[in-house]
Amino acid sequence: MSANENHTKDNKPGMPPRHPRGNYQTWIIIATLGFILLLMYFGNSGELPAITRSEFETMIESRDVKRLVLIKNQDVVEITLTPDALNNAKYKERLEKSSRFGVNPAGPHFKMKVGSVDTFISDYRELNKKIPRNEQVDLQFEERSDYFSLFLNWGFLLLILIGFWMLMRRMTGGAGPGGQIFNIGKSRAALFDAENKVKVTFQDVAGLDEAKEEVQEIVEFLKNPSKFTRLGGKIPKGALLVGPPGTGKTLLAKAVAGEAGVPFFSLSGSDFVEMFVGVGAARVRDLFKQAKEKAPCIVFIDEIDAIGRSRGRGQIPGANDERENTLNSLLVEMDGFATDSGVIILAATNRPDVLDAALLRPGRFDRQISIDKPDIAGREAIFKVHLKPIKLDPGVDAKKLAAQTPGFAGADIANVCNEAALIAARRDKQAVDMQDFQDAIDRVIGGLEKKNKIISPEEKRIVAYHEAGHAVAGWFLEHADPLVKVSIVPRGVAALGYAQYLPKEQFLYQTEQLLDEMCMAFGGRAAEEIVFGKISTGALSDLERITKMAYSMVTIYGMNKEIGNLSFYDSKASEYAFQKPYSEATAEKIDREVKRIVDECYERTKKLLLQHRQHLEAVAQELLKKEILFQNDLERLIGKRPFDKPTTYQQFTNGSEQKPATPQNNSPEKNEPAPAEPNPGDISSKP
Ligand code: ADP
Ligand code: MG
Ligand code: ZN
């Protein structure tokens, strides 16, 4: 992995720094508790010492009471003593004991619970009959709100509200003390500009020359629009990076951010998605508002298929209106801003097939930049990038590694380099050598190499002949891909051995090529039958491939006599509603035709291997000895391939690298551990 990787992921410079969550929440809880305690402390007459009915009667009779307040809604009487009575030791002692802040001369001093207001009033009247009128104390009435019970009623509601509020905040991932529920409609884009720089440059992106050129052109558009509009051209609104996973789409976009010199908003399609309806659309609008303020700038939406999936396909009706709204508002915004507003949208996806057609219409993403898995030159360049930070043995050759990793994407190559370094470290080596890379490749191809997997000698023999069958069949089939290596080192769970080929960089296949490919796949099973007279389950994945190929030849490509030039492939077919577009009779014909093709292939393979029986034997025996054989080993064993068209690899290396498994020759170029920059001469010499 390159050291540049860790920059953008964890630490989005466009976002406010995240506060450690829970800090202020603790404070809220403490404050609430404190509030409750304060209320209990002050807000309630519970502090007053209570007296009994007879004490009260004595008080009244001895004229000690100055004021009487009946709090009707609490069924309590508050009693205020006369100043004389306050000095009376009888009360004084009791008051001082129960009062926290000293006795308040203004009162009230005591309280008394009453059974019911009405009975108390009549009882009091009764009591006053013994007292002369001018010495009687009038009963005053009051309604008093009790803060404590008030709090119990309302505070509960308040607590629920607070809890709900916190829950919302957590769900929206809001940070900072500002209450981000209000920011839910804000876009989550990270902004990279002069202050927040990405450290990835175009140097870190190997290969992808055409894609690089195209995105660079887009940057040019932004920096100098008049150069292009002068002649009447229009600046494109958007470009879509399309390619399989791990081919460097995100990396390329990061490099654009690093090199563009204009503000760069980056976010992922899933950032629009939220559980609340309308949020996605609001975020799209907010994103474009921000972008227009910063124009000229670039907006990058990674994994756009998260929102750009075609509407109303393969889903329960009405299930995802929200995503549709989001997509619609994206379309509207893309239409809405004028071409000279200086905002260009870059998006990436590895599922262009599921994207809504409206997104791909000219005027939206009017450029599609396709990023394919790297060819051999691309792989070499990528290897060079990822070998740079590794301490290498002089024997390590990026060309050779590239030749051994057909079909690898950039991410796989990065993985191989990392694995190799780890393996070398485990073996206590000073530098990473070719063997470590070899093992890393094996590991990446098929999971961990199982050295200790118990495999019986008999099984090993079967595997050796099986793989030798593939190798020999391919060797003598004109259209088969050239072999890179064949191995019987068990890997992973399923694969007991494998033969690795170097596919040509090609997009059209002719019937002969497909047939030869199928024959080569049959090589394993045919060899088993010839040598042992028995077949094994080891050919499962071969048979699967063959069957698939045969069916597509018949039903898709029209490569057969019986069915003719019909294709039952429906590129618009919905994912669920599959209907056979042909009759039962045709179905039978198809099955018969497929069986005929497959049977013929198998017979041809068997014949071929019988012809080369001694070659099969030689390769299998050598395999049992060495476990891994390379192309030059086979040349030594069974002679040069009769169809010596130069392979892509040989063309690429100008035939200089014919013997991959021999020890390094000492040409100075080979000993260079991965030059710092991909050599432009190497790349232009690719076929
Ligand atoms: P995706 O196309 O799925 O977005 P990424 O851009 O995330 O793939 O690539 C994953 C990793 O693979 C990158 O971080 C980088 O290390 C490596 N990689 C992929 N393509 C290239 C390339 N062309 N040059 C150098 N490294 C690459
Ligand atoms: Mg990506
Ligand atoms: Zn096989």
Side-chain angles (χ1 to χ4, degrees), residues 96-117:
E96 272 166 1
K97 210 163 71 189
S98 66
S99 148
R100 288 193 195 86
F101 308 107
V103 182
N104 178 5
H109 301 114
F110 292 103
K111 69 170 183 187
M112 183 183 66
K113 200 87 188 133
V114 299
S116 96
V117 175

Side-chain angles (χ1 to χ4, degrees), residues 1 5 204-208 244-251 382 385-386 410-411 414:
M1 290 283 147
E5 262 278 81
D204 298 312
V205 188
L208 307 184
T247 44
K249 300 179 294 295
T250 309
L251 186 73
I382 297 173
V385 167
H386 289 280

Side-chain angles (χ1 to χ4, degrees), residues 530-582:
I530 289 170
V531 176
F532 302 103
K534 290 178 272 192
I535 51 175
S536 75
T537 54
L540 168 63
S541 60
D542 298 333
L543 295 188
E544 185 187 343
R545 250 186 76 212
I546 291 165
T547 312
K548 269 198 194 127
M549 283 174 77
Y551 266 103
S552 36
M553 281 176 74
V554 176
T555 60
I556 296 180
Y557 299 116
M559 285 173 165
N560 69 99
K561 294 188 206 89
E562 194 76 356
I563 306 292
N565 289 330
L566 290 181
S567 176
F568 300 115
Y569 179 66
D570 183 0
S571 56
K572 303 246 168 16
S574 94
E575 283 168 49
Y576 296 119
F578 178 74
Q579 280 180 324
K580 278 191 201 157
Y582 42 77

Side-chain angles (χ1 to χ4, degrees), residues 479-551:
H479 302 289
D481 290 328
L483 181 105
V484 174
K485 74 173 178 186
V486 44
S487 148
I488 57 167
V489 179
R491 290 165 309 136
V493 200
L496 296 176
Y498 64 96
Q500 193 186 359
Y501 298 90
L502 186 61
K504 276 198 225 72
E505 322 281 348
Q506 89 180 75
F507 303 97
L508 289 176
Y509 292 86
Q510 284 162 346
T511 317
E512 293 72 33
Q513 290 176 318
L514 292 180
L515 289 175
D516 276 7
E517 196 121 307
M518 284 161 67
C519 280
M520 194 169 73
F522 261 137
R525 166 147 289 194
E528 285 181 47
E529 201 192 327
I530 289 170
V531 176
F532 302 103
K534 290 178 272 192
I535 51 175
S536 75
T537 54
L540 168 63
S541 60
D542 298 333
L543 295 188
E544 185 187 343
R545 250 186 76 212
I546 291 165
T547 312
K548 269 198 194 127
M549 283 174 77
Y551 266 103

Side-chain angles (χ1 to χ4, degrees), residues 232-470:
K234 269 198 197 128
I235 292 177
K237 280 187 189 168
L240 187 63
L241 300 171
V242 177
T247 44
K249 300 179 294 295
T250 309
L251 186 73
L252 184 64
K254 275 189 204 163
V256 175
E259 303 232 339
V262 294
F264 187 95
F265 290 90
S266 167
L267 77 173
S268 144
S270 58
D271 286 345
F272 292 110
V273 183
E274 192 73 64
M275 63 177 292
F276 301 110
V277 173
V279 168
R283 286 188 180 159
V284 171
R285 285 191 293 272
D286 186 62
L287 171 67
F288 280 85
K289 205 176 111 224
Q290 285 184 35
K292 275 180 237 172
E293 279 162 13
K294 291 266 182 185
C297 70
I298 295 175
V299 173
F300 174 58
I301 306 175
D302 205 354
E303 314 286 354
I304 196 174
D305 41 301
I307 48 167
R309 230 162 244 270
S310 76
R311 288 162 288 188
R313 184 181 150 184
Q315 49 173 288
I316 314 151
N320 215 337
D321 285 349
E322 167 59 3
R323 209 191 54 216
E324 277 188 24
N325 287 342
T326 311
L327 176 57
N328 282 336
S329 80
L330 181 67
L331 295 175
V332 167
E333 288 290 340
M334 287 188 78
D335 279 342
F337 63 85
T339 22
D340 54 4
S341 74
V343 180
I344 287 187
I345 302 174
L346 213 56
T349 180
N350 44 34
R351 299 292 311 275
D353 51 318
V354 302
L355 286 188
D356 197 283
L359 262 182
L360 304 174
R361 204 201 67 188
R364 273 135 188 183
F365 290 109
D366 31 20
R367 289 203 167 186
Q368 283 203 31
I369 303 177
S370 89
I371 296 187
D372 279 322
K373 287 201 175 164
D375 61 4
I376 189 164
R379 287 199 301 274
E380 188 194 350
I382 297 173
F383 261 114
K384 284 184 174 164
V385 167
H386 289 280
L387 290 178
K388 227 186 293 173
I390 297 179
K391 260 188 102 173
L392 291 178
D393 183 84
V396 174
D397 179 8
K399 260 197 183 109
K400 210 189 273 177
L401 290 173
Q404 281 183 31
T405 47
F408 276 40
D412 302 322
I413 292 177
N415 196 2
V416 164
C417 293
N418 192 44
E419 272 298 330
L422 293 181
I423 290 173
R426 201 175 308 141
R427 294 173 178 165
D428 288 329
K429 291 191 185 165
Q430 292 307 308
V432 189
D433 62 25
M434 210 56 184
Q435 186 57 47
D436 303 323
F437 277 100
Q438 210 72 62
D439 295 345
I441 290 172
D442 283 349
R443 183 169 295 192
V444 171
I445 290 177
L448 281 176
E449 189 174 301
K450 289 217 169 139
K451 279 259 162 58
N452 51 0
K453 182 167 180 168
I454 299 158
I455 173 168
S456 70
E458 184 53 25
E459 278 173 327
K460 197 170 169 183
R461 249 167 68 79
I462 295 176
V463 175
Y465 277 98
H466 180 107
E467 299 305 331
H470 284 307

